[in-house]
Amino acid sequence: MRLLRLLTSELLSVMSVELEVALNQLHYMLDPLAAPAWKRALGLEFYREIHSDPSLVRELYAQYDQHQERRNIIADHLALFVRLAAENSAVIGLGQHLSQPEVYEDLPAERITVESAGSEPSNEPSLKKTGLSPKWSIARTRCIDQTDKTEPSEFPATYIYALVLTSINSFAEGLAKFLLPFTMPSDLKTKRKSARRTTSSKASQGGSKSDDDGAGSGTKAEDPVIAESPQSEGKLPVNPMTLEIHEQFGQICTAASMVEQCWPALLATSSTFLNASLDSEYLHALIRSFQRFTQVAGLLRLTTPRDAFLTALAKQAVPTLAANPSNESGRGVHEESGADTDRDTSDSERDRSPAPGASIRRQPIVTRNLLCLRALLNLGIALGPVLTDSWTIILETLHRFDVALLAYRTQKTLGEQRGSRGSVDQNNVSGNFDDNDFDTEKKAVETAVARLFQSTSELPEESFLHILSCLSSLAYSVSNLPKPAGDEPGVDASRMPSPQPGTRPRHYRYPSTSGLDLNKGLVAKSSVSLLDRITHVAECNASRLSQVQASSSGWSMLTTLFVDHLGAPAVVAEVRMCAAKKLNNLVIQMLSASKEDNLEHRDRMVSRGIDALATAVSSLGQLEGTKAAGHCSLEIHAMAFEALTLLLEQHGEIMRSGWDTVFYMINSIFVIDEQPLGEHGEGLAEMTVSASRSPRLLRPSFAALQLLCSDFLASIPKICFPTLLDTQYYFASQNQDFNTSLTLSAEAWTMCFRLVFFTLLSSPELKQHASTDDDSWEDTAVLLVQRLSKTFMQSLGTFTGYEKFDSVWNQLLVSYGDVLCRRELGLSRAVFDSLAEVLAAIERTYSTHKMPLDSDWVLWRDNNPATYDLEGNPDNKKALEAHLKYIRQLRGLLDGRSGVTQVEAILTNLRLCIINSTPLTYGSDINEMTTVQTLVLENIGLIPMPSTDIVVQVATELAYLVTLAFQTNPSRIEKGKTFVALARAAMDALRNLVVEQRSVKSDAPLPKLLFITLAALNVPIHLKYKWLHEGKEIATWKKATSTALSLLDEDLLRSFNNGQPDEQSLWTAIVELSDGIAAADTDSCTSTSNIGPDLTFDIESFSQLAGIIIPILGSPSIPDRIRRKYVGSLFEHSLIHEPHPDDLARPDQDLLDGLRSEHVGRVQDLPPKLRSKMAYILLDHLFDLVAVRDGSPERVKLAEAAAPYLVLRAGLVMKAYVCDQPLRGLMPQPQSQKREMHCILKKLVELDSEPKAFPETMGVQSEHKKHLFLLFSLLTKALKAAWRDKEMGAALHAVLEAVGADFES
């Protein structure tokens, strides 16, 4: 047999005919009547090894099964597995699918704990083993490993069935491992591999057994292919059969054919074992392979095998019912114990109920059921986009599980209440509810449910509508309500089918719930549970539901479902209340989840939510006069008003439509009679209110009306004003709630208290209280300030028409000033908030009125909350926000009347607000600015700048804000007060200021503005890698670099040629910018992975900057010291290895004096800089500056400045070679140093230097090789040191040859 295995794997194509005969004989040998047990085991061991090699299985199938003239090898032996699995049901414990394998030993202490089905095992000792387990179903020595002369050893009776189980598991696993990778979109494969590594590391850190095992758990640690489906990226899974140009398409077709042809045998065999007694390991492996094969069939779009396997899992997920054998009538509930036992059974037989009086026994929910249910849920996640109508299988199974769980809990509770467990059948209450493993697995199921519903948010619209349709049909069926006829309006029937209640996809055979003894309370709980599940799906898709088209998003289907339930008289009150709560919450969550910025779209969303609430209220009106119109309807009506009030509070400010619906809801509590008026009774009508429908509805509806009148009166369209007046009349005229009527009548007296508030606020008594520490006075004063401001705004028509309005306004400000003298944050906030609102109202209503705003300005300037010295450092952010909003409103009215002194005071106050604001309690200002910081920048942007002095003031302040974050000791930075986000925003503001001044004003002080800007930006650039408080966005130094480069261009810099101090300062800042770009303290970098991308960014930035400033930097108007500083920076950062200290000149020496020093060489390897690429770029730039160009004065100046540094840079490398190489002996020169030296030698030969860059030297007639003469001595010494290094010697010879031709003879 071992030889047959070898021939099959190695010589299949050569000996296909002979092997066909042998394999068919092997099939015959598997028959129990044709061969002894050991031969059957030998054959099954052979097939187990075959199935362990998926590629060999595909090759066998392609060689035989796919050829009509040959026998089917794979399909035939899988069909044999069906008979083998069921030939001895007692051995594998067939039908005992609620129990684990049982073993009865002689010693009770050695008995294995099993999961009981409700009956106690026999106490008589026995050696009988029932079911499959690795403990007794594995042979010590495989038959295939025994020699031919050895008698076959005995093996367990269950060994043969364990081999069959292992073979079918390997078959399914092999198909999945081959086909599933092809279903992933190409752009997701990299992410998938990364996710596998991440989740595997997380899973290795711990977790429950039920979450880590592979039995249908679907966790990414165990089964990432199933748990991580393509829809997580918003894409459909790829059907492998569409990959026609793939190099393995032939193999794909073979595997797909295997799935299509072999699934009946695999289903039958797997179902047999699924109903057998298996231990945990075998059960987990079986369910995992079951799940894998189902997923493969689904992704291949093979609906028949997919639905068949889903149905088989569904049967096992929820325990069935069984009639007691003692039932005299002989009628029992259909019991499904085999794979295909129900194929020829009619629906009526399956759904029939036990005869009256029959004793009903319910099988308990055990871990096996939970594993199958979890596998079914994971398949829903993996196959969501392609399930279509088959969602019914998963969703109905989940609902049946919820119902069964409720039934068991209810009966258990009833038994405990009766005080005697004898009153409840022990078989009906699962003892596993107290088992830790069961509870853990049940929690895992809930987690899988949550993941399933969460995954629906990434499904395409068609798939999501399929789910809603299935859930809707199920809900109508459970509640015994008629489903609305026809598809949803506006939805194509091909995109969203509406299956009628009770319809199921093909192969879906599920036991009926009619046999469940469900009382009315349990039916209600079942409906509530289903509504909870539907709501969960809706919450996960809240953003989808907020789409413009209500029908295509599923919104209409959901709201119709809830409204039909809450307004149905046949539905119990508990379910109606639940539906009402779900609808209200759905409306609020849908609006909260909307991320649309378009106001028109958001307005439609709000109107849609209000329409849903109004529809619910309207459905209650249809119940009047029925028994259902009672307390429940009133509560639902009141809940709708609460939801309306919350909706208006959160979204009322954006409403433009839907107000008529709002008034319809408010007025729905009244019974209104219309009586004709006039002589003939036409044209006019008098509306009278006979009564409200209930006092219970008065207060919530009146609360909604009060909110409209207090906060949204200006938003209500004029066409609705008559309705508003009628509504107020209804409330005022009703006599069921006197306080409500009185409140509306009292509104007319509001204006009469205006002078009272004014006098009280400025009274001596109030000022006396202000000098004490009475907190109640502050609360009272805040209320008075707010009320006075509202009254003042309401009376603007009267005040602005008054000839002494300015005097009245100043009196109000004086009174507010007296209040602010107490220096309380609450009062400061109330005063400035109120004044900002009043100023806004004045500007809107009377924009032409010119007010004397001197008192307003002084009030703001002298009462900054940032200057309050308060104990305990209370939170001052709200007070500062009010203070800043007031000056923003005031700036709009000042209309360009600001001077330098006033702007200076404004900027000083704004700076204090930023520095002295309290840190954020939760969160940080690293990624986003605080509200105070945002308002400060807004106010700076509103400052008019009629003069250059003000422009410079504003630019200086913005530059300060850029550097503020970097002025604090990093160890003392507070978490909520880092100013990092402010620095980024200030950079943008500073850039915009410079750009605006350049484009608008010809006399703008651009050199000074650019100097101020670059000086500020250089601070974070030079702190590269040293500043550790970076946020999620681009690093601060990168943003500063990009901002600086965006402000510079060649035309602009050429215009600065007057040699003015501001221009020289600007060029100094530009050189510092270049130095900051080239420099980097890599030792301070916290993540070396960032060095590469950062280096690329710096190289691009330096190249851009050099292209702008060269050759302008050589202008005679620019001092030589600035050019020397620039090339000195190039030299410093072009060093790849640390030079010997003695080779560098001291401050009192010439630049090249260090090359003439004598010192001992170094033999240790010098590590190159991490940014060597930047060093080579700078080295190239240094050579480029010295190279001969057009001979212009600018180029000559640059060459003269760069020439000494070029000689020093090349000399350092050659001197290091001269000193170090002799000490190395036979050791080669380090590779990095060798590369550097070869690069420099090559560039020295290629360089044609600017003649004027080097002094004239006697004896040298060269014009463009003078740089080589200065290095001649070091070159000859280096050649001498390179007598062992042929490659370096050749390079040096090439340099000397270039030198020799230019010496005078």
Side-chain angles (χ1 to χ4, degrees):
M1 193 61 71
R2 291 193 296 271
L3 179 59
L4 179 61
R5 172 68 175 89
L6 181 62
L7 292 175
T8 304
S9 60
E10 300 295 336
L11 300 175
L12 178 60
S13 59
V14 178
M15 302 180 62
S16 60
V17 177
E18 293 82 357
L19 288 175
E20 180 180 5
V21 177
L23 292 175
N24 273 286
Q25 289 296 322
L26 186 60
H27 292 172
Y28 176 76
M29 192 173 65
L30 295 180
D31 193 301
L33 300 178
W38 69 270
K39 286 188 176 182
R40 301 176 69 199
L42 187 63
L44 289 172
E45 287 177 351
F46 169 80
Y47 274 116
R48 181 178 63 180
E49 292 192 8
I50 291 296
H51 284 292
S52 65
D53 186 353
S55 61
L56 180 57
V57 175
R58 295 194 300 274
E59 188 176 358
L60 282 169
Y61 187 86
Q63 189 73 28
Y64 298 110
D65 295 60
Q66 286 189 314
H67 290 278
Q68 294 182 356
E69 64 275 7
R70 291 192 171 182
R71 294 180 178 271
N72 295 332
I73 300 300
I74 299 299
D76 285 354
H77 86 263
L78 287 177
L80 287 172
F81 284 173
V82 179
R83 289 189 299 168
L84 280 173
E87 69 181 14
N88 196 342
S89 59
V91 173
I92 65 175
L94 189 63
Q96 304 175 19
H97 54 281
L98 294 183
S99 300
Q100 292 181 355
E102 297 181 355
V103 182
Y104 302 103
E105 301 290 350
D106 292 329
L107 297 177
E110 298 177 359
R111 181 172 300 172
I112 299 175
T113 303
V114 297
E115 182 180 85
S116 177
S119 60
E120 293 293 334
S122 172
N123 292 326
E124 297 181 3
S126 173
L127 295 177
K128 181 180 179 182
K129 302 177 179 64
T130 303
L132 302 182
S133 173
K135 297 179 180 178
W136 61 76
S137 299
I138 302 299
R140 293 184 178 179
T141 303
R142 299 188 309 170
C143 296
I144 202 173
D145 293 335
Q146 298 178 11
T147 61
D148 295 339
K149 297 181 180 180
T150 304
E151 291 294 329
S153 60
E154 295 184 357
F155 49 83
T158 57
Y159 180 51
I160 291 177
Y161 309 104
L163 290 173
V164 174
L165 177 60
T166 306
S167 297
I168 63 172
N169 288 344
S170 299
F171 178 76
E173 291 283 342
L175 284 173
K177 289 182 179 179
F178 175 71
L179 286 175
L180 289 183
F182 296 108
T183 66
M184 298 295 295
S186 58
D187 57 340
L188 295 182
K189 290 183 179 179
T190 303
K191 298 181 180 179
R192 175 174 172 242
K193 293 179 180 178
S194 176
R196 279 187 174 183
R197 293 192 293 268
T198 303
T199 53
S200 297
S201 63
K202 291 182 179 179
S204 63
Q205 297 175 2
S208 64
K209 177 180 178 182
S210 63
D211 286 336
D212 291 338
D213 60 36
S217 62
T219 58
K220 291 187 179 181
E222 179 64 22
D223 201 348
V225 175
I226 291 179
E228 184 184 8
S229 55
Q231 69 263 27
S232 62
E233 296 290 341
K235 297 184 178 180
L236 288 173
V238 177
N239 184 353
M241 295 302 294
T242 62
L243 304 176
E244 297 180 358
I245 62 174
H246 198 281
E247 59 183 3
Q248 296 190 31
F249 183 68
Q251 292 280 320
I252 294 173
C253 292
T254 299
S257 178
M258 290 170 61
V259 174
E260 191 169 10
Q261 297 300 324
C262 301
W263 73 264
L266 189 67
L267 174 61
T269 308
S270 301
S271 298
T272 300
F273 285 115
L274 203 56
N275 287 278
S277 297
L278 304 179
D279 82 326
S280 176
E281 180 179 343
Y282 280 155
L283 178 62
H284 285 61
L286 175 61
I287 296 179
R288 181 171 59 248
S289 63
F290 213 94
Q291 183 177 346
R292 289 281 183 92
F293 190 86
T294 309
Q295 186 182 7
V296 167
L299 295 176
L300 288 172
R301 310 307 193 264
L302 301 176
T303 58
T304 300
R306 178 198 68 194
D307 292 348
F309 275 76
L310 287 176
T311 304
L313 272 179
K315 294 175 183 177
Q316 297 292 333
V318 182
T320 56
L321 301 179
N324 195 308
S326 62
N327 179 18
E328 298 177 357
S329 66
R331 296 179 58 193
V333 178
H334 175 68
E335 183 173 2
E336 301 160 42
S337 58
D340 295 317
T341 58
D342 66 341
R343 290 195 176 186
D344 299 323
T345 306
S346 64
D347 291 342
S348 61
E349 291 176 332
R350 289 195 306 269
D351 293 343
R352 66 189 179 187
S353 301
S359 175
I360 301 301
R361 175 174 59 85
R362 294 191 178 95
Q363 293 177 354
I365 299 177
V366 293
T367 305
R368 181 186 299 242
N369 302 127
L370 299 178
L371 289 174
C372 292
L373 178 60
R374 190 143 58 97
L376 196 65
L377 297 173
N378 284 330
L379 285 171
I381 298 174
L383 300 177
V386 298
L387 279 180
T388 60
D389 291 348
S390 297
W391 273 109
T392 305
I393 303 175
I394 299 175
L395 297 174
E396 283 201 23
T397 303
L398 177 60
H399 175 63
R400 286 180 56 82
F401 175 80
D402 292 338
V403 173
L405 210 57
L406 287 172
Y408 293 143
R409 287 175 174 170
T410 301
Q411 291 199 2
K412 185 176 181 180
T413 303
L414 290 175
E416 293 173 353
Q417 291 176 351
R418 293 171 183 170
S420 173
R421 297 192 61 85
S423 60
V424 180
D425 189 352
Q426 293 288 343
N427 291 327
N428 291 341
V429 183
S430 174
N432 289 291
F433 279 115
D434 298 327
D435 188 79
N436 291 333
D437 290 341
F438 182 85
D439 290 339
T440 301
E441 197 61 41
K442 187 158 65 69
K443 292 179 181 177
V445 168
E446 287 300 327
T447 302
V449 173
R451 290 176 55 241
L452 172 65
F453 290 165
Q454 187 63 41
S455 68
T456 61
S457 62
E458 302 296 338
L459 292 177
E461 286 185 5
E462 294 83 355
S463 302
F464 175 67
L465 293 176
H466 275 293
I467 295 178
L468 285 188
S469 179
C470 294
L471 286 172
S472 177
S473 297
L474 184 58
Y476 282 109
S477 178
V478 170
S479 300
N480 197 24
L481 292 176
K483 190 177 187 295
D487 295 333
E488 252 191 297
V491 181
D492 188 359
S494 63
R495 297 176 64 242
M496 199 289 297
S498 268
Q500 296 300 320
T503 60
R504 292 175 172 83
R506 189 179 179 185
H507 286 282
Y508 183 74
R509 291 182 173 87
Y510 210 89
S512 170
T513 58
S514 60
L516 284 172
D517 184 18
L518 305 181
N519 55 33
K520 182 177 291 188
L522 191 55
V523 172
K525 291 180 181 178
S526 169
S527 297
V528 170
S529 175
L530 183 56
L531 291 178
D532 288 338
R533 297 294 192 194
I534 296 174
T535 304
H536 191 176
V537 174
E539 290 173 351
C540 295
N541 292 271
S543 59
R544 186 201 302 267
L545 296 174
S546 62
Q547 295 177 4
V548 177
Q549 295 297 330
S551 57
S552 62
S553 68
W555 172 260
S556 299
M557 189 187 301
L558 281 171
T559 54
T560 301
L561 172 68
F562 288 130
V563 170
D564 287 348
H565 277 73
L566 68 87
V571 178
V572 295
E574 181 181 357
V575 178
R576 294 180 60 198
M577 292 287 291
C578 176
K581 292 178 182 177
K582 301 302 181 186
L583 176 64
N584 297 342
N585 293 337
L586 179 62
V587 169
I588 299 301
Q589 291 178 2
M590 181 270 294
L591 295 175
S592 301
S594 178
K595 301 178 181 179
E596 181 65 44
D597 295 331
N598 187 285
L599 292 180
E600 182 179 356
H601 174 78
R602 293 178 63 189
D603 176 53
R604 287 199 295 268
M605 294 301 99
V606 176
S607 299
R608 180 188 299 175
I610 295 175
D611 289 341
L613 297 177
T615 304
V617 171
S618 176
S619 68
L620 297 176
Q622 301 174 4
L623 299 179
E624 290 189 9
T626 65
K627 294 182 179 180
H631 176 74
C632 178
S633 295
L634 293 178
E635 289 300 321
I636 294 175
H637 205 152
M639 290 163 55
F641 282 123
E642 294 172 1
L644 175 65
T645 303
L646 183 60
L647 183 150
L648 292 174
E649 289 176 349
Q650 296 179 355
H651 309 284
E653 70 279 356
I654 63 173
M655 282 186 61
R656 298 296 181 268
S657 59
W659 291 106
D660 53 343
T661 310
V662 172
F663 285 114
Y664 163 77
M665 288 189 62
I666 296 176
N667 294 333
S668 64
I669 70 168
F670 297 111
V671 179
I672 303 173
D673 296 330
E674 293 189 1
Q675 298 180 358
L677 292 178
E679 183 177 354
H680 300 287
E682 65 270 353
L684 297 175
E686 179 183 10
M687 291 177 291
T688 61
V689 179
S690 59
S692 67
R693 302 186 187 278
S694 172
R696 169 71 177 87
L697 302 177
L698 272 173
R699 291 197 176 276
S701 58
F702 182 64
L705 178 63
Q706 283 185 310
L707 182 64
L708 292 182
C709 296
S710 61
D711 294 356
F712 306 112
L713 195 59
S715 301
I716 299 176
K718 294 181 179 180
I719 194 174
C720 293
F721 280 177
T723 307
L724 173 61
L725 295 177
D726 291 340
T727 304
Q728 291 178 333
Y729 167 75
Y730 298 154
F731 280 100
S733 60
Q734 57 81 29
N735 54 12
Q736 293 172 306
D737 191 333
F738 179 72
N739 290 332
T740 300
S741 301
L742 185 61
T743 301
L744 281 171
S745 301
E747 293 294 332
W749 294 92
T750 301
M751 297 302 297
C752 299
F753 293 98
R754 181 174 65 247
L755 295 177
V756 176
F757 284 117
F758 200 105
T759 305
L760 180 60
L761 192 59
S762 58
S763 64
E765 292 80 3
L766 194 59
K767 294 181 181 180
Q768 182 178 359
H769 283 289
S771 61
T772 66
D773 294 329
D774 187 3
D775 292 336
S776 61
W777 174 86
E778 181 180 350
D779 297 337
T780 303
V782 167
L783 292 175
L784 290 175
V785 167
Q786 295 173 345
R787 187 57 183 170
L788 178 59
S789 299
K790 289 183 179 180
T791 305
F792 196 92
M793 285 189 292
Q794 293 171 357
S795 306
L796 277 178
T798 304
F799 282 143
T800 52
Y802 185 56
E803 59 182 4
K804 296 184 178 180
F805 168 75
D806 295 340
S807 175
V808 174
W809 176 251
N810 286 329
Q811 290 178 19
L812 178 64
L813 295 179
V814 171
S815 300
Y816 278 161
D818 293 339
V819 173
L820 291 174
C821 290
R822 188 176 174 87
R823 300 176 70 83
E824 294 285 350
L825 294 177
L827 284 176
S828 177
R829 176 187 177 184
V831 167
F832 287 117
D833 271 341
S834 301
L835 286 178
E837 292 177 2
V838 173
L839 288 178
I842 293 174
E843 185 178 16
R844 288 193 306 267
T845 310
Y846 304 101
S847 57
T848 58
H849 182 80
K850 298 297 182 181
M851 298 173 54
L853 298 174
D854 295 339
S855 299
D856 305 68
W857 159 251
V858 172
L859 183 73
W860 180 85
R861 183 196 62 191
D862 297 341
N863 294 278
N864 190 346
T867 62
Y868 293 175
D869 187 12
L870 303 175
E871 296 182 0
N873 193 25
D875 190 350
N876 64 357
K877 291 190 289 296
K878 294 297 183 182
L880 291 176
E881 291 171 12
H883 187 254
L884 294 169
K885 290 176 182 177
Y886 175 67
I887 189 58
R888 181 177 61 183
Q889 188 63 45
L890 189 60
R891 294 300 310 155
L893 295 176
L894 285 174
D895 193 21
R897 288 178 266 173
S898 303
V900 175
T901 304
Q902 192 179 50
V903 170
E904 182 180 2
I906 292 174
L907 295 175
T908 301
N909 270 274
L910 296 180
R911 179 183 295 189
L912 288 174
C913 289
I914 285 183
I915 296 176
N916 294 337
S917 65
T918 54
L920 293 172
T921 306
Y922 303 100
S924 174
D925 63 342
I926 291 181
N927 297 310
E928 294 182 0
M929 291 189 295
T930 64
T931 306
V932 171
Q933 295 170 358
T934 302
L935 289 172
V936 166
L937 283 184
E938 289 180 1
N939 278 295
I940 292 178
L942 292 175
I943 295 177
M945 291 174 279
S947 65
T948 58
D949 292 338
I950 295 180
V951 173
V952 173
Q953 279 183 311
V954 173
T956 304
E957 186 62 27
L958 290 174
Y960 173 81
L961 297 181
V962 170
T963 61
L964 180 60
F966 313 101
Q967 296 177 7
T968 308
N969 188 339
S971 61
R972 300 181 61 185
I973 291 179
E974 300 178 77
K975 180 181 178 182
K977 195 175 179 180
T978 64
F979 308 116
V980 175
L982 173 66
R984 293 193 183 97
M987 292 178 191
D988 293 334
L990 198 53
R991 178 194 59 205
N992 295 338
L993 175 63
V994 175
V995 172
E996 180 184 0
Q997 292 296 316
R998 179 184 177 183
S999 60
V1000 175
K1001 296 184 178 181
S1002 58
D1003 60 341
L1006 288 181
K1008 189 165 188 176
L1009 287 180
L1010 285 172
F1011 164 69
I1012 294 172
T1013 303
L1014 294 183
L1017 296 175
N1018 282 333
V1019 173
I1021 294 175
H1022 281 272
L1023 289 175
K1024 186 188 309 177
Y1025 297 151
K1026 298 179 182 178
W1027 180 257
L1028 303 180
H1029 297 275
E1030 296 289 356
K1032 298 179 181 178
E1033 298 181 3
I1034 184 175
T1036 310
W1037 63 268
K1038 283 187 176 182
K1039 183 173 181 60
T1041 303
S1042 301
T1043 303
L1045 293 176
S1046 68
L1047 294 174
L1048 300 176
D1049 60 70
E1050 185 176 354
D1051 294 337
L1052 178 66
L1053 295 181
R1054 284 193 180 278
S1055 64
F1056 304 148
N1057 55 3
N1058 298 324
Q1060 298 296 323
D1062 289 342
E1063 296 177 356
Q1064 296 182 11
S1065 299
L1066 171 60
W1067 278 107
T1068 301
I1070 293 175
V1071 171
E1072 290 178 354
L1073 172 63
S1074 172
D1075 181 75
I1077 294 174
D1081 184 7
T1082 55
D1083 294 336
S1084 301
C1085 183
T1086 57
S1087 176
T1088 56
S1089 62
N1090 295 333
I1091 293 180
D1094 293 347
L1095 176 60
T1096 302
F1097 175 82
D1098 280 343
I1099 290 175
E1100 295 175 354
S1101 300
F1102 177 80
S1103 300
Q1104 180 181 352
L1105 179 62
I1108 295 174
I1109 66 175
I1110 300 299
I1112 306 175
L1113 185 58
S1115 173
S1117 63
I1118 301 176
D1120 291 338
R1121 58 179 176 81
I1122 296 179
R1123 281 185 287 273
R1124 286 195 298 270
K1125 186 175 181 180
Y1126 176 72
V1127 295
S1129 173
L1130 296 179
F1131 164 77
E1132 178 184 356
H1133 300 303
S1134 70
L1135 295 174
I1136 300 173
H1137 302 88
E1138 189 68 27
H1140 195 284
D1142 293 343
D1143 292 341
L1144 299 175
R1146 296 190 299 271
D1148 58 340
Q1149 293 180 321
D1150 291 337
L1151 186 65
L1152 301 179
D1153 286 351
L1155 295 178
R1156 304 182 184 94
S1157 65
E1158 299 289 338
H1159 61 78
V1160 179
R1162 297 173 292 183
V1163 295
Q1164 70 272 20
D1165 290 346
L1166 299 176
K1169 290 183 179 180
L1170 290 178
R1171 290 166 58 98
S1172 298
K1173 188 175 181 181
M1174 172 62 83
Y1176 279 110
I1177 295 295
L1178 299 178
L1179 182 62
D1180 291 342
H1181 188 53
L1182 197 59
F1183 272 91
D1184 186 67
L1185 291 177
V1186 179
V1188 63
R1189 297 289 182 179
D1190 54 6
S1192 63
E1194 294 177 341
R1195 284 291 181 180
V1196 172
K1197 285 284 187 181
L1198 288 172
E1200 290 175 346
Y1205 288 95
L1206 175 64
V1207 174
L1208 177 61
R1209 179 67 180 85
L1212 288 175
V1213 175
M1214 283 182 279
K1215 185 175 181 183
Y1217 185 82
V1218 169
C1219 296
D1220 299 347
Q1221 190 63 22
L1223 300 179
R1224 294 191 178 100
L1226 297 177
M1227 294 178 59
Q1229 185 183 13
Q1231 188 63 32
S1232 60
Q1233 296 182 19
K1234 184 177 181 180
R1235 177 192 173 196
E1236 180 186 12
M1237 188 166 179
H1238 273 291
C1239 176
I1240 289 180
L1241 292 177
K1242 180 180 179 182
K1243 290 182 177 295
L1244 288 174
V1245 173
E1246 296 174 350
L1247 175 65
D1248 288 337
S1249 58
E1250 169 61 45
K1252 298 179 182 179
F1254 298 94
E1256 295 291 339
T1257 304
M1258 293 184 60
V1260 178
Q1261 63 180 3
S1262 173
E1263 183 178 5
H1264 299 298
K1265 300 294 182 180
K1266 294 181 180 179
H1267 57 283
L1268 295 180
F1269 171 75
L1270 296 177
L1271 294 170
F1272 183 76
S1273 176
L1274 287 174
L1275 288 170
T1276 56
K1277 292 179 181 179
L1279 182 62
K1280 182 179 180 181
W1283 65 279
R1284 286 192 182 96
D1285 191 344
K1286 294 182 179 181
E1287 183 180 2
M1288 187 62 69
L1292 290 168
H1293 270 295
V1295 179
L1296 291 175
E1297 288 176 0
V1299 176
D1302 291 326
F1303 279 101
E1304 292 182 354
S1305 57

